[in-house]
Amino acid sequence: MAIISDNEGLGIKKGSMQKKNPIVKPENIEYDNTFENSIRPKNFDSYIGQSALKETLKITLEAAKLREKPLDHMLFYGPPGLGKTTIAGVIAAQMGVEMRITSAPALERPRDIIGILMSLKGGEILFIDEIHRLNKVAEEILYPAMEDFTLDMTTGKSQTAKTLRVPLPKFTLIGATTKAGELSGPLRDRFGMIHRLEFYTCDELAQVVLRTAGILDIKISEEGAYAIARRSRGTPRIANRLIKRVADFALVKYDGVIDETVANESLDILKIDEFGLDTTDRALLSLIIDKYDGGPVGIETIAAALSEDVRTIEDVCEPYLLQAGLLQRTPRGRKVSPEGYRHLGMKMPSEQGRLF
Ligand code: ADP
């Protein structure tokens, strides 16, 4: 059994890596709010997968450096947890510039976005998460800022109103969204690069798991890493969450080492099935089958019946169920696919035989 430990020196305190006990205590992981940062890849080599994106970016970054110009504005989209924030951080690190992170809901008032734009320095990156949620006013302030690096400010009222053009430093805007379709056309058109992040393969997620285990000093076999990867729904954030949970089980119930059996048994107890579906995902599929004959049924009805937020269903549950082919989106609502029925061990109405 190969025990992999691969500390890349990503901000983990030295002392904690050198302790005799190789397992980082769960309480330290759980309440350490620098956890996300400590395991976030900081360069292209440690950023696993998304090879097409990385290749394009490497060239774009090199060209910007040669031209001594700021990078084009970029938009990354895809389901949560696939690495949009992380790749933005990698870009900033590779360019040797600071990145300011904010999100659209934090830019409610004009002065929020004006304040942040005016505080930027030349070459810096402004990262706006959930950019599809920007309001119209903030968007309109952004247009000239993105295009001409200016702020158009109006002073005075009605007839005496004047527009002031305030120059801004040349910055790069990186937007991230789970819903590219909800971005207005004019905003989308102002991005020089638009890229969709893909779900990760099982091999890539196993690498993510092994890398995180190395950083956290968690002992895990390659088979154990694959067992976690298979149930991580193609998403590194989930892989990282599951490894923490499984490490807890390994510490308390086993000898501290995660192998395939420990991983599978722990994930079974956590009710994460072989497809990576959790209780909410299965409840969603069962609801459509049991109450709506497999669908189609509207998303609002599903959300209300599950007492979940529509946004959570749309952003968190659905993308993977659709990608895995368990759910289908039709103009009349969501439908469980034959594969979805099979996954729950149920028969489609057409297979159940009719009485008449
Ligand atoms: P998003 O912004 O798309 O919601 P994040 O960039 O916050 O996702 O990534 C979520 C977590 O997954 C981070 O903690 C990061 O460590 C990990 N992660 C994301 N992408 C990768 C990757 N390509 N390789 C390794 N780990 C990754």
Side-chain angles (χ1 to χ4, degrees):
M1 181 173 75
I3 304 285
I4 321 267
S5 191
D6 161 35
N7 174 28
E8 296 174 68
L10 289 164
I12 290 280
K13 281 191 209 113
K14 268 222 153 144
S16 69
M17 300 301 291
Q18 288 163 347
K19 274 186 200 147
K20 279 243 172 71
N21 185 348
I23 308 285
V24 174
K25 286 186 185 154
E27 62 267 27
N28 291 349
I29 303 173
E30 225 6 54
Y31 301 112
D32 180 5
N33 59 11
T34 64
F35 169 75
E36 274 260 309
N37 274 340
S38 68
I39 58 168
R40 234 183 241 290
K42 307 279 194 285
N43 53 47
F44 283 123
D45 287 340
S46 52
Y47 189 91
I48 294 156
Q50 310 290 349
S51 45
L53 171 63
K54 285 200 290 189
E55 287 320 306
T56 315
L57 279 177
K58 280 181 191 167
I59 293 174
T60 310
L61 266 58
E62 196 53 44
K65 279 185 191 164
L66 288 172
R67 291 199 187 103
E68 296 181 10
K69 287 220 164 124
L71 288 166
D72 269 355
H73 305 301
M74 301 180 191
L75 178 71
F76 297 126
Y77 69 99
L82 292 192
K84 298 181 289 297
T85 314
T86 308
I87 196 70
V90 169
I91 293 170
Q94 296 293 302
M95 293 300 286
V97 297
E98 295 287 318
M99 179 165 87
R100 301 283 303 274
I101 301 183
T102 186
S103 75
L107 302 173
E108 231 175 54
R109 299 160 306 176
R111 77 168 107 118
D112 299 323
I113 181 108
I114 290 173
I116 207 160
L117 286 170
M118 292 193 66
S119 69
L120 291 171
K121 298 196 188 76
E124 276 186 0
I125 291 177
L126 172 61
F127 179 81
I128 305 185
D129 204 4
E130 300 190 72
I131 195 157
H132 62 278
R133 294 175 68 188
L134 268 188
N135 62 40
K136 200 87 216 97
V137 178
E139 262 195 27
E140 273 166 16
I141 293 171
L142 261 186
Y143 296 156
M146 289 173 78
E147 219 160 57
D148 308 319
F149 303 108
T150 55
L151 262 181
D152 289 343
M153 294 208 281
T154 313
T155 56
K157 282 191 183 151
S158 54
Q159 286 168 339
T160 57
K162 278 191 194 146
T163 305
L164 274 180
R165 295 214 105 185
V166 182
L168 288 172
K170 295 202 164 74
F171 68 100
T172 299
L173 175 68
I174 301 187
T177 176
T178 49
K179 295 202 178 86
E182 286 188 14
L183 234 66
S184 72
L187 182 57
R188 206 173 33 235
D189 291 346
R190 284 172 169 82
F191 287 99
M193 183 197 230
I194 300 185
H195 194 98
R196 187 177 89 174
L197 274 85
E198 305 291 345
F199 281 111
Y200 291 64
T201 63
C202 192
D203 285 340
E204 290 164 350
L205 286 176
Q207 284 182 57
V208 172
V209 171
L210 290 171
R211 177 178 173 276
T212 303
I215 295 169
L216 299 179
D217 253 356
I218 291 169
K219 291 210 165 185
I220 185 166
S221 72
E222 218 168 298
E223 297 76 21
Y226 269 89
I228 295 178
R230 276 192 291 276
R231 301 196 197 195
S232 296
R233 315 166 59 114
T235 308
R237 179 178 289 139
I238 297 182
N240 285 336
R241 192 164 71 215
L242 293 184
I243 192 175
K244 288 199 301 175
R245 297 274 64 82
V246 174
D248 291 355
F249 276 89
L251 183 67
V252 175
K253 295 187 123 229
Y254 306 92
D255 63 357
V257 179
I258 303 175
D259 61 14
E260 191 173 2
T261 312
V262 172
N264 282 335
E265 285 184 11
S266 313
L267 294 169
D268 285 345
I269 295 171
L270 291 168
K271 299 207 179 333
I272 312 256
D273 68 23
E274 326 79 63
F275 251 121
L277 307 198
D278 60 18
T279 29
T280 311
D281 303 314
R282 286 191 301 271
L284 187 153
L285 294 176
S286 309
L287 173 89
I288 303 179
I289 292 175
D290 294 341
K291 296 253 161 56
Y292 303 97
D293 290 333
V297 55
I299 188 82
E300 277 85 12
T301 311
I302 299 174
L306 293 175
S307 306
E308 282 283 358
D309 184 38
V310 172
R311 198 173 281 145
T312 309
I313 305 273
E314 277 185 337
D315 290 357
V316 182
C317 300
E318 254 193 7
Y320 184 72
L321 294 175
L322 292 167
Q323 139 98 15
L326 303 174
L327 192 69
Q328 292 165 344
R329 199 162 23 200
T330 75
R332 286 167 50 226
R334 277 52 170 181
K335 244 176 100 173
V336 177
S337 70
E339 185 59 42
Y341 273 87
R342 268 195 291 282
H343 184 69
L344 293 185
M346 293 165 124
K347 285 195 169 157
M348 297 224 13
S350 57
E351 295 168 336
Q352 284 167 6
R354 301 213 176 255
L355 293 173
F356 50 91

